[in-house]
Amino acid sequence: MAKLVIISKGQNRLSHELGAQWVTIGRGARNAFQIVEPSISAYHCEVLFSDDVLKVRDMRSTNGTFIKDVQVVEGEVNIGETFRVGDVELRLEVSNHPEVAAGSPKNISAALATARKVASVLLVDDSMAFLETAAELFKVLGDNAWEIHTAPSADKALNLLQQHRVDLAVIDLSMPLLDGAQLLAMLQRRYPEMKKVVLTGNLNDHVRASCLAAGAELVMEKPTVADGFKGVFNMLNDLIAWSQKEGFSGTLRHVGLAEVIQIQCLGRRSSILEVRDATIRGEIYIESGIIVHASAGDLQGPKAFYKLLSLTRGLFHLQAFKAPAEKTVEGSWEFLLIEAARVRDEEKQISVSAETIHVAKRTLPDAPATPPTQSSGEEELVVVSTYDDDGTWHPVDSPK
């Protein structure tokens, strides 16, 4: 793979190995790559090495992130090039690998492909068009790190599993003869160690609950557009890598907290899920698959949990479990996630209603500065014409 190496004086040759996840860089101790230097912010920037290029994103740092002496919000760095965070300069280098000749860019891609662990994925769907589209997009998104098998029916999927080791099976529910729910139950009995995900075009609470109960790690809606495939790929990729979850980190725009919590609870794992964005930091304690405590700023318990689940931007980090000082959360994780979704929807509706009222007020005409005056006691009568006995109106020259 690749690594970042500090080449500034004083901290030269301090390095960090890059993996397949986003890496945060900053002065704070909770960064994946901590650089203790006054010019670097607590959380300065984040980087991801993909397709032989380092993607760099500044995290609203005080002293900026620079590529080729130009301050950037987002940018890219190639192998052998440098960039600067604050006053510290770093260079992107290839990790020492037996198949990489020093300074030989021609061998970089081959070495990275060899060093990358290949995951075996089985896609089961009765639509050949969907299988072809999904297989092609997943290969591109995974930079050929996935070995993808496809099966248009349950029986062919079972035959394929007898011939190949598979890390993850992705199953459609609507299939002829043996449907996806029945196949899921069979796979859970025969291959309990294999991860299983259900994709369906008819997702509802009942389908989700029954599939999770049958052994699925995730239940997601079947994508129909490219962006949808990207979201599914990110979730599947993180699920595959969960065996390496020690110190697992990520960004909320790639992985939802609900999915992270779901995986932890289904596996009856114990961990502390740290969550933060620009405005708040919190922790969710999961003990043997049960959520026992949550904190977010000054909030504790369910309110803190719902607050953290409402975040759409920021970072999360899984660390080893240690018992909290007190347990503030009760109830099943399924109920807590459903309640968090309800609270989030209510907050959105309140926000939309408030905005609608605000817009309506801005469009109403301004009220007169002072109300019309009236004489005290009696209304003033103005006569403009009179009606005579002959049935005609006669204008009056002066009002009376």
Side-chain angles (χ1 to χ4, degrees), residues 260-295:
V260 176
I261 293 170
Q262 180 176 305
I263 294 173
Q264 289 288 289
C265 292
L266 282 171
R268 300 185 182 278
R269 301 184 178 107
S270 297
S271 59
I272 299 175
L273 177 59
E274 296 179 308
V275 186
R276 65 175 182 271
D277 70 356
T279 62
I280 198 168
R281 175 179 296 180
E283 296 177 330
I284 298 173
Y285 287 71
I286 304 173
E287 183 177 7
S288 299
I290 300 174
I291 301 169
V292 296
H293 176 63
S295 65

Side-chain angles (χ1 to χ4, degrees), residues 41-254:
S41 298
Y43 297 99
H44 197 103
C45 69
E46 58 182 356
V47 299
L48 172 67
F49 185 72
S50 176
D51 298 330
D52 296 354
V53 171
L54 184 73
K55 299 178 182 179
V56 182
R57 295 184 69 256
D58 186 81
M59 299 172 69
R60 297 186 293 278
S61 64
T62 300
N63 296 313
T65 301
F66 298 81
I67 298 177
K68 296 180 180 179
D69 292 327
V70 176
Q71 187 171 358
V72 300
V73 176
E74 294 186 4
E76 294 185 347
V77 176
N78 295 314
I79 293 288
E81 294 181 344
T82 63
F83 69 102
R84 178 164 55 87
V85 291
D87 296 333
V88 177
E89 191 168 10
L90 303 97
R91 182 166 56 223
L92 178 63
E93 299 182 358
V94 178
S95 300
N96 293 329
H97 192 279
E99 297 188 26
V100 179
S104 177
K106 294 181 180 180
N107 292 329
I108 290 175
S109 296
L112 293 176
T114 303
R116 185 187 296 117
K117 181 181 178 180
V118 175
S120 181
V121 178
L122 170 62
L123 306 177
V124 187
D125 196 296
D126 64 339
S127 169
M128 292 301 300
F130 178 84
L131 289 177
E132 290 178 356
T133 300
E136 182 177 353
L137 285 175
F138 288 164
K139 284 181 180 179
V140 173
L141 293 171
D143 193 21
N144 294 315
W146 284 12
E147 179 186 8
I148 298 179
H149 307 280
T150 59
S153 61
D155 61 318
K156 291 185 178 180
L158 294 171
N159 288 335
L160 192 146
L161 286 170
Q162 294 178 353
Q163 305 171 29
H164 301 275
R165 179 194 61 83
V166 170
D167 300 303
L168 169 67
V170 183
I171 308 165
D172 178 34
L173 285 183
S174 299
M175 292 189 295
L177 299 178
L178 190 69
D179 63 26
Q182 294 171 300
L183 176 60
L184 174 64
M186 293 181 65
L187 296 183
Q188 180 64 10
R189 290 194 300 269
R190 298 185 184 184
Y191 308 96
E193 75 288 348
M194 182 175 62
K195 296 178 174 65
K196 307 161 195 73
V197 171
V198 170
L199 287 184
T200 175
N202 300 305
L203 182 59
N204 55 52
D205 291 341
H206 174 72
V207 169
R208 185 187 299 276
S210 61
C211 290
L212 293 176
E217 273 81 10
L218 291 174
V219 183
M220 294 185 287
E221 192 166 6
K222 182 183 290 188
T224 56
V225 296
D227 286 343
F229 278 97
K230 290 180 182 178
V232 170
F233 170 82
N234 288 329
M235 280 304 308
L236 299 180
N237 197 44
D238 287 324
L239 183 59
I240 291 172
W242 211 260
S243 59
Q244 302 172 344
K245 66 182 183 300
E246 184 69 20
F248 179 76
S249 299
T251 55
L252 297 183
R253 70 177 182 277
H254 288 149

